[in-house]
Amino acid sequence: MRRHFTIATGLVMLTACVLGYRGLAAVAGEHDLAGIDEIRIDLPDTPMTVTGCSAGTEACPEVLSYRGAWQSTGGTGRDAERNATAPRLRFSTDGAFAALVAVVPLEVVGQVDLVMDEISVPDDRDLDLRTGVGDVQVVGVVASVVIDVEVGDVSVFGADAGLGVHTGRGDLQIETPGAADVETGRGSVDVTQTGEGRDLRVHADAGSVVVRLASDANLELTIDTPDTIRIQTDAITTVTSGHFERRTGSGNVRVELSSNGGDVEVVLAR
Amino acid sequence: MACSLALAPPAASPREPGPAAAASSAGTVRLGPEAQGRVVVEQDGTAVAEVALRPGETSALSLPAGHYELVAAEGGQRTSFDVVAGREVQPDLPSSLRAESPAAAETSAPEPSAVHPPDVAVVSTTRTFDDEEPDGGDGLRVTRRRQWRRWGAPVLSAVVPGLGQAVNSQPGRAIAIFTGTVSLALASAALWTAADPTDGATRGEPGRSDAAEVVRLGGLSAFTGAAGMLYLAQIMDAHAVAANKQVRPAKGYAVSLEAMRASTVGFSPGEPAYDLYTDYSVAVMGQIVRRLSVGVSDASIKRGPRRGLVVQAGLRVSYRFFDRGRVWLGAGGGVLMQGTTANGSPKPIAASADAPADDRRFSLVPYAHFETRIFVLDRWSLGLVPRLSVPLFERRYRGAQSTPRYATTFELGLATGVYF
């Protein structure tokens, strides 16, 4: 009896693990963007850093280029290597629209993970970036930028033609001269308007909002939060909570800020 | 209170006859005096009284008319008898209860005269040794079982862990179960919320250390499993105590149904580097010869990758090499077959491009297992089932989780089974 239980206990202690190997395969690509106005990059969970180069200059070829790696698991070392090379990134076009997506064979779904390094594009191409879990950083793109992330911080410096950002969970740090519509499910938002005053909508389900406006002239400002509202600009100074509305000048620049749980602060960018 | 003690006064102080005695539908059962040990009186498989007998004593029970069985508390041979209203019966006792040297007794038990509820057994006794003083029924215990508790106690335990034990008059056990279940649930919740959903989001950030993550996932698996097993066990225990059941595992069962959760901590690509792989399944096993069972196992349907579906089932053989008391030990093996269907790869964006066909995969996973089962009721067991498997193709868990082919996998299964 005692021997049986010793065996049983030993087996229990041994349980609950998987033995195997890990693999890694580099991935790189360069795709012609002649005639392409908009690029969608739709990748599985991975951080993304997209850098725009000055279009039309010699240093900035008209291509989408990227580097990264596929990480994998396998029951044997050889299988791990094979699994890492099984997926690929597919670039396809339709008129002026191009898309870069990951094609992962069903047999390795769940056994591979993509980690992208830098992605480079000419700065005049509109961008649509999508991923699951991964921080996204966009720098130097003057065209419009749309970002949709499930979990991850997002930072954008540029997006002169307009910006749309959604992340389910993560902090947002934005510096843009363009109109912007940004929201996060859980995280703080920090927006700085550069250049002229533009329409701005910011929402945080749970997190604070800090906005640095380019100007407080001709403003139609609406703020909602159960926590503190603090505004300190040339034309408006207040500390309150709940709902706040103020119109200055012609009111043709609409700024809507809201948080379901977090302070909202508005100041002027200097 | 799950039971009450109803001790009749000794012969020297007989009961006062009740005015409604004539209307009673109860009969009298006399046990002894040539017996010793504890005997259980059952009706329709439910214990209605438990009596401690001593040589030379006669115990009289007032029971509602009906058919009853006598069995020693330790189990063994049964004898049956009928109680007729207003009549007295002295059934044969199981041989294991017969005293070796029965004292010649002159028994004169008082007539049970009071009117009692139909689910109440009343015992009276008379000492027959001249050198002993009547002690008010020392050694006699009659257990009154309220029928509603047989099912009420487990239902209450299902609603609030330990509550069934409380109504079964086991306050210590009730507190222990409630505290244990709540503690395990809180520990599980703490480990669950300790996961960092942003793990792997930032390039180059290693996230939680491998050891910490493995410990967290292992603890989460252990605590949730223990909480589930404790929860099920205390429900069954509440019924067993309320019904005063002596657990005798159904060794001769024909068919068993089993629900199992198998889980393991496995490596995953990227960050986080480890994940908890869990698989819920059911099995239907038949005992084809004594101790050997075969059947359909590991059956389940679950969500697959890319809004797909995973359907699995298998064949299993198991041999029970040890069964003593409530504990069974066994070993066996089988093969799990798994089919996966999923939407195809992303469609090229060109409008003229054809939509890719759905992907399909088939997998075989042979395994060997060891099983430890503890019976909480005659036909209900809880078990630990460690399993060793080597998938011949990738094995899918829920969603996009999968382990690669040839990845040796140790899983810990927690199972509950019912036997017919």
Side-chain angles (χ1 to χ4, degrees), chain A:
Chain A
M1 181 75 176
R2 188 174 177 179
R3 189 164 57 97
H4 290 311
F5 276 109
T6 304
I7 293 170
T9 305
L11 284 171
V12 168
M13 296 299 287
L14 267 178
T15 58
C17 66
V18 181
L19 308 179
Y21 295 81
R22 295 185 185 277
L24 184 72
V27 59
E30 208 171 80
H31 305 286
D32 187 10
L33 292 180
I36 300 298
D37 296 331
E38 181 182 350
I39 308 162
R40 175 184 298 161
I41 300 176
D42 187 353
L43 299 176
D45 297 352
T46 177
M48 279 196 273
T49 298
V50 180
T51 305
C53 57
S54 299
T57 62
E58 271 191 23
C60 183
E62 206 171 18
V63 295
L64 164 69
S65 61
Y66 53 83
R67 287 179 288 110
W70 287 99
Q71 299 174 335
S72 69
T73 57
T76 65
R78 183 174 296 180
D79 270 5
E81 289 177 17
R82 189 182 64 87
N83 289 347
T85 57
R88 62 192 175 88
L89 297 182
R90 184 180 66 199
F91 182 79
S92 58
T93 62
D94 183 19
F97 181 68
L100 180 71
V101 299
V103 177
V104 181
L106 181 56
E107 63 184 284
V108 296
V109 170
Q111 299 165 41
V112 293
D113 184 65
L114 177 64
V115 180
M116 293 295 285
D117 292 332
E118 190 172 290
I119 301 170
S120 178
V121 293
D123 62 3
D124 60 348
R125 267 44 174 208
D126 294 336
L127 287 180
D128 178 355
L129 307 176
R130 303 176 184 185
T131 188
V133 178
D135 296 346
V136 175
Q137 184 176 29
V138 179
V139 180
V141 174
V142 297
S144 70
V145 175
V146 175
I147 300 170
D148 193 344
V149 184
E150 291 175 17
V151 175
D153 298 341
V154 175
S155 57
V156 178
F157 303 92
D160 305 33
L163 174 67
V165 176
H166 171 266
T167 180
R169 179 182 183 132
D171 298 338
L172 307 182
Q173 185 178 8
I174 312 293
E175 281 188 28
T176 180
D181 184 342
V182 301
E183 63 180 33
T184 178
R186 184 172 178 180
S188 62
V189 183
D190 187 320
V191 178
T192 301
Q193 285 188 328
T194 57
E196 301 295 318
R198 300 285 184 184
D199 288 352
L200 174 66
R201 191 189 78 87
V202 176
H203 175 73
D205 271 348
S208 61
V209 174
V210 176
V211 172
R212 295 173 188 84
L213 294 173
S215 166
D216 60 355
N218 305 317
L219 198 65
E220 183 171 334
L221 177 64
T222 306
I223 301 175
D224 287 286
T225 179
D227 294 331
T228 304
I229 298 171
R230 181 178 292 111
I231 306 170
Q232 191 167 16
T233 69
D234 294 341
I236 311 168
T237 299
T238 187
V239 177
T240 182
S241 66
H243 179 75
F244 177 82
E245 279 186 14
R246 181 65 56 89
R247 183 185 177 100
T248 63
S250 64
N252 62 345
V253 176
R254 297 189 61 182
V255 175
E256 296 177 13
L257 313 175
S258 61
S259 173
N260 294 337
D263 297 344
V264 176
E265 181 179 357
V266 179
V267 296
L268 285 179
R270 300 296 181 187

Side-chain angles (χ1 to χ4, degrees), chain B residues 5-28:
Chain B
L5 196 62
L7 293 177
S13 56
R15 288 173 183 274
E16 291 298 321
S24 171
S25 62
T28 303

